[in-house]
Amino acid sequence: MTSKILEINSSTNELGKVSLFLEEFLHNNRLNINDFNRIYLCLSEAVINAIIHGNKGKEKKIISIELSYYKPFLNVKVVDEGCGFNFTDIPDPTKADNLLKENGRGLFIIKCYSENLSVLDCGNSIVFKMLLNEQS
């Protein structure tokens, strides 16, 4: 098992650090770089949710990102300092009333691309795992 943690401030300006963190993790663990876009899509959705909804855009609050590799899965954990949320209260973005909304798809995207999505603690922590392709 290989694990690494990155802490960032609650700002979308920090997304470059998240991208670099993921790229370095894949490279250092000799994982398939072709998985990068799929993983980064989910990871960035989780981080943006943590910034906007969890920490309410308060830049002094911290977001912790943990990547762990257990062959063949990459486990991702994103924790914010917010009050959390109730996962069952999130509207289904595929329902007719929500189709034209510009937001509300982050968790849906993560659920579609990951093997498992869990909301932990009081809802200020999400964990998902992604099946990685074999290195070519």
Side-chain angles (χ1 to χ4, degrees):
M1 180 211 60
T2 304
S3 185
K4 193 92 171 154
I5 296 174
L6 171 70
E7 289 187 342
I8 61 169
N9 292 325
S10 272
S11 169
T12 55
N13 293 332
E14 300 279 88
L15 287 172
K17 292 178 184 177
V18 176
S19 175
L20 184 59
F21 175 65
L22 175 60
E23 187 176 342
E24 288 176 351
F25 187 87
L26 293 175
H27 176 76
N28 291 341
N29 289 284
R30 297 189 175 111
L31 301 173
N32 195 335
I33 196 68
N34 292 329
D35 288 319
F36 177 85
N37 288 335
R38 180 173 53 90
I39 297 166
Y40 185 68
L41 172 64
C42 294
L43 178 57
S44 63
E45 288 291 343
V47 170
I48 289 168
N49 279 348
I51 292 168
I52 295 170
H53 302 294
N55 290 344
K56 308 289 187 211
K58 295 178 181 169
E59 291 190 26
K60 293 194 185 264
K61 289 194 173 194
I62 300 296
I63 295 168
S64 174
I65 302 156
E66 181 177 0
L67 301 178
S68 303
Y69 177 59
Y70 300 91
K71 188 175 183 176
F73 294 105
L74 176 69
N75 294 315
V76 179
K77 182 176 184 180
V78 177
V79 181
D80 61 55
E81 295 184 276
C83 296
F85 70 101
N86 185 344
F87 187 65
T88 59
D89 290 343
I90 304 298
D92 181 347
T94 64
K95 298 281 185 193
D97 292 349
N98 299 322
L99 289 177
L100 298 178
K101 291 184 178 176
E102 293 184 20
N103 55 15
R105 291 170 176 73
L107 291 174
F108 180 78
I109 289 169
I110 296 168
K111 280 178 69 173
C112 288
Y113 283 99
S114 68
E115 301 300 312
N116 186 4
L117 169 64
S118 300
V119 178
L120 305 176
D121 302 323
C122 62
N124 69 329
S125 176
I126 69 165
V127 177
F128 56 93
K129 75 178 171 180
M130 304 197 70
L131 180 63
L132 300 180
N133 295 309
E134 290 293 320
Q135 184 71 13
S136 53

